[in-house]
């Protein structure tokens, strides 16, 4: 995906780290409600480290991602956090954490088998009595259908980015939907350029999420979306003692 490779240095001009404060607070609360006193956290698919830039005030964070370019972006924002290269379907660090957090990166798993592999990775890295928190953008039930979003920001170094994100679902009976990004990039001394990126993303019913979490060994519940500031459903898996 071009967004997480060649466009990685522009990532913090799509959403800004500040834009994540409210939702990160929701995730902090869900983690501590399930696992009071949690201190260590690993995030699978941490991307640019936007959520982590808030969570690191409360947890010692290890940030994993499959893209070396995105790890570099996050390292600059979160130099005090450990960063590791890893695919959430297969990564094995050989240690456990109080909390495992998986945010929107999970949408890049497009089959139930891939999602099951990521849930197993989370279980393997959750200590007994610990919690795993999964926050996909949508479930099949909450998917709003076709829609367009726009945004972008200006950097202090003169660079500017604006994007249009067009979401649609060509086949409502399968486990994917599609997103096209049209991104305009401006930087001093260069003509404005346009980049198109096409993403295929996973979409699963709530029942699939809960079944896969329970099958891996978690006790699973779902926290419904919390209005406009944090509309995503959050799946909480408690690893029994
Ligand atoms: C939208 S970004 C995540 C942003 C993040 N939520 C934040 O707070 O900055 C999605 C990330 O998922 C990563 N990703 C996609 N598939 C992955 C996989 N199988 N394992 C780990 N990371 C993955 C991409 O490299 C990208 O960095």
């Amino acid at each position: 995906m071009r967004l997480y490779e060649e466009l990685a240095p522009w990532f913090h001009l799509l959403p800004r780290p500040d834009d994540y404060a409210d939702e990160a607070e929701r995730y902090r609360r869900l983690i501590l409600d399930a696992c009071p006193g949690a201190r260590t956290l690993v995030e699978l698919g941490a991307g640019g480290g936007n959520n982590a830039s808030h969570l690191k005030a409360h947890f010692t964070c290890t940030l994993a991602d499959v893209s070396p370019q995105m790890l570099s972006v996050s390292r600059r924002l979160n130099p005090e956090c450990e960063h590791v290269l890893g695919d959430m379907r297969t990564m094995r660090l050989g240690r456990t954490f109080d909390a495992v957090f998986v945010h929107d990166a999970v949408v890049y798993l497009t089959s139930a088998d891939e999602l099951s592999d990521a849930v197993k990775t989370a279980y393997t890295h959750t200590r007994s009595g610990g919690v795993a928190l999964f926050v996909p953008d949508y479930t099949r039930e909450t998917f709003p259908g076709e829609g367009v979003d726009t945004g972008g920001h200006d950097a202090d170094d003169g660079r500017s980015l604006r994007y249009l994100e067009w979401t649609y679902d060509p086949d409502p009976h399968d486990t994917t939907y599609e997103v096209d990004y049209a991104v305009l990039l401006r930087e001093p001394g260069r003509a404005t350029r346009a980049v198109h990126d096409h993403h295929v993303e996973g979409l699963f019913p709530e029942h699939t999420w809960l079944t896969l979490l329970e099958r891996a060994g978690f006790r699973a519940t779902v926290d419904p979306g919390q209005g406009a500031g944090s509309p995503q459903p959050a799946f909480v898996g408690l690893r029994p003692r």
Side-chain angles (χ1 to χ4, degrees), residues 62-195:
T62 296
L63 307 179
D65 201 278
V66 78
S67 158
Q69 294 93 331
M70 292 301 283
L71 285 173
S72 299
V73 173
S74 177
R75 259 191 213 102
R76 278 196 294 280
L77 180 64
N78 302 304
E80 63 276 67
C81 299
E82 178 188 22
H83 286 81
V84 293
L85 187 65
D87 186 316
M88 68 174 85
R89 294 166 295 185
T90 54
M91 187 183 91
R92 295 292 181 268
L93 294 179
R95 55 196 154 113
T96 60
F97 299 81
D98 298 330
V100 177
F101 176 48
V102 194
H103 189 239
D104 50 5
V106 77
V107 301
Y108 294 109
L109 308 183
T110 55
S111 71
D113 284 346
E114 285 188 311
L115 188 57
S116 172
D117 287 343
V119 170
K120 284 180 196 150
T121 300
Y123 189 81
T124 306
H125 291 88
T126 306
R127 73 153 165 86
S128 105
V131 62
L133 179 65
F134 287 86
V135 188
D137 283 345
Y138 309 109
T139 57
R140 172 53 78 191
E141 292 84 353
T142 67
F143 186 71
E146 181 161 340
V148 169
D149 193 14
T150 58
H153 293 287
D154 305 317
D156 294 339
D157 60 9
R159 292 181 306 148
S160 296
L161 175 152
R162 297 292 182 273
Y163 69 89
L164 181 148
E165 179 182 354
W166 185 8
T167 301
Y168 55 102
D169 186 5
D171 179 359
H173 302 293
D174 68 10
T175 60
T176 63
Y177 61 104
E178 301 188 23
V179 184
D180 280 299
Y181 288 93
V183 186
L184 287 174
L185 306 168
R186 241 193 235 166
E187 55 193 315
R190 283 191 69 171
T192 300
R193 62 197 163 104
V195 176

